[in-house]
Amino acid sequence: MVDAETTLKSMSQPSDAITFANIKGRAALVVDVHSTGGGRAVDIERATNGAFGHQPMHLFSRWNELREIVPTLRAAASEAFVAGDLRAPAPEPRQVFGIGLNYRAHAAETGVPIPDSPLTFTKFASSINAPHGDIRIDVPSADWEIEVVAVVGSGGRKIPESSAWDSIAGICVGQDISDRVLQRATQPPQFGLGKSREGYAPFGPWLVDVASLSNRDALPLTCTLNGEIVQQSNSNDLIFSIPQLVAYLSSIVELFPGDVIFTGTPSGVGAARKPPRFLASGDVLVSTIDGVGSITNRCV
Ligand code: ZN
């Protein structure tokens, strides 16, 4: 499941960052990352004698408390895990937001003007996949979209842009897999279903706490397809930054702990290639954010 490329790229995750993982449904603090994409982690429920539960979704409303006990957790007994044990860090969010056309070069390649406000859609939660999960390809128009994924911590309504990072728990690498035909099957288009087929929302491999991410406003992204770079950009090129997205979304809806925001993809998607290139069985996507980690998804 994890190839040599992943091996190299997973090392881009800094050892001093506070990193939370969902290991087979249990919340864990990652204390060591191995070149295989696995590593060692501390089970949070066991290490806190039950003060924190095992369910990853229950951590996000207590994120600041959790940050405070990280030194204690680091000193606790750790267990080995492998890449295949990892599940989505926020597996059952109440809301999953997707943002379209949020990089200038991607807006240009799709031939659409730069939007005045964030183009927002939902990915239904049933599309959430494990970070290294296989993606079932049932249609000839499935496309890749590497994205920075932000997971909400405290959340709320009417969050000011200036304090928006404080309401975010952490950052993951995600793929907003998209069925381009279904995405545009109606007029006007409704993206939700085309973005929500089975397995179309892998993210992870873990969640890096925003407080320990020195480059949270400038995250380098790279997506390879079968070893060839197809997307390469930096989140400092986002049209609407993550704090701006949080301020905008929370001006309309309440953001809940553990909500997931797919923040948009840079240029290089398959539909914009000449000729177009869509995903097929046997393809392998490796999506990397420097300082966060890599996810590997095989198309089946
Ligand atoms: Zn997207």
Side-chain angles (χ1 to χ4, degrees):
M1 172 149 48
V2 174
D3 60 15
E5 191 173 23
T6 310
T7 298
L8 283 172
K9 290 187 167 174
S10 62
M11 297 166 111
S12 63
Q13 191 258 337
S15 57
D16 59 344
I18 301 173
T19 303
F20 290 88
N22 173 355
I23 299 179
K24 292 183 168 173
R26 297 189 63 88
L29 176 78
V30 176
V31 293
D32 194 15
V33 174
H34 297 162
S35 56
T36 55
R40 298 191 69 81
V42 172
D43 185 279
I44 290 175
E45 182 180 48
R46 285 197 277 272
T48 61
N49 293 317
F52 285 83
H54 74 276
Q55 294 192 42
M57 291 309 297
H58 291 175
L59 293 183
F60 298 108
S61 61
R62 300 176 66 187
W63 201 251
N64 288 330
E65 270 181 87
L66 194 61
R67 279 171 175 151
E68 284 170 19
I69 62 160
V70 162
T72 312
L73 291 173
R74 283 197 196 280
S78 64
E79 299 157 50
F81 68 93
V82 299
D85 293 337
L86 294 165
R87 306 289 183 262
E92 294 171 320
R94 291 175 71 171
Q95 304 176 109
V96 183
F97 302 92
I99 307 297
L101 305 173
N102 203 16
Y103 287 82
R104 282 174 185 80
H106 178 56
E109 76 178 353
T110 57
V112 174
I114 290 174
D116 296 328
S117 56
L119 190 168
T120 307
F121 56 90
T122 190
K123 285 174 83 73
F124 293 101
S126 57
S127 64
I128 289 176
N129 196 349
H132 303 296
D134 291 343
I135 300 166
R136 233 180 109 97
I137 304 296
D138 292 326
V139 294
S141 49
D143 203 348
W144 59 85
E145 292 192 354
I146 186 177
E147 307 206 356
V148 175
V149 169
V151 178
V152 173
S154 52
R157 286 188 185 271
K158 298 187 168 52
I159 300 165
E161 183 186 331
S162 58
S163 61
W165 274 122
D166 298 339
S167 69
I168 295 290
I171 296 295
C172 307
V173 189
Q175 269 290 341
D176 173 19
I177 304 293
S178 307
D179 176 347
R180 298 300 185 200
V181 169
L182 184 55
Q183 184 182 344
R184 303 188 186 284
T186 60
Q187 278 307 324
Q190 296 290 322
F191 288 2
L193 292 177
K195 302 275 191 173
S196 298
R197 288 191 185 275
E198 180 182 355
Y200 273 26
F203 64 98
W206 32 64
L207 180 152
V208 178
D209 182 42
V210 288
S212 61
L213 257 183
S214 57
N215 61 339
R216 65 191 188 184
D217 291 302
L219 298 162
L221 308 97
T222 306
C223 174
T224 65
L225 175 64
N226 304 329
E228 180 201 339
I229 293 174
V230 288
Q231 292 184 280
Q232 191 159 44
S233 187
N234 189 297
S235 69
N236 63 13
D237 194 39
L238 280 169
I239 296 169
F240 300 101
S241 68
I242 292 171
Q244 287 172 328
L245 293 175
V246 167
Y248 175 73
L249 293 172
S250 72
S251 75
I252 301 161
V253 298
E254 181 169 357
L255 295 180
F256 297 107
D259 278 357
V260 173
I261 306 171
F262 280 76
T263 59
T265 200
S267 62
V269 301
R273 293 178 175 261
K274 295 185 176 49
R277 166 71 160 92
F278 294 108
L279 292 168
S281 184
D283 283 341
V284 178
L285 286 170
V286 178
S287 311
T288 302
I289 298 177
D290 288 351
V292 177
S294 275
I295 63 172
T296 299
N297 303 105
R298 189 174 297 278
C299 298
V300 298

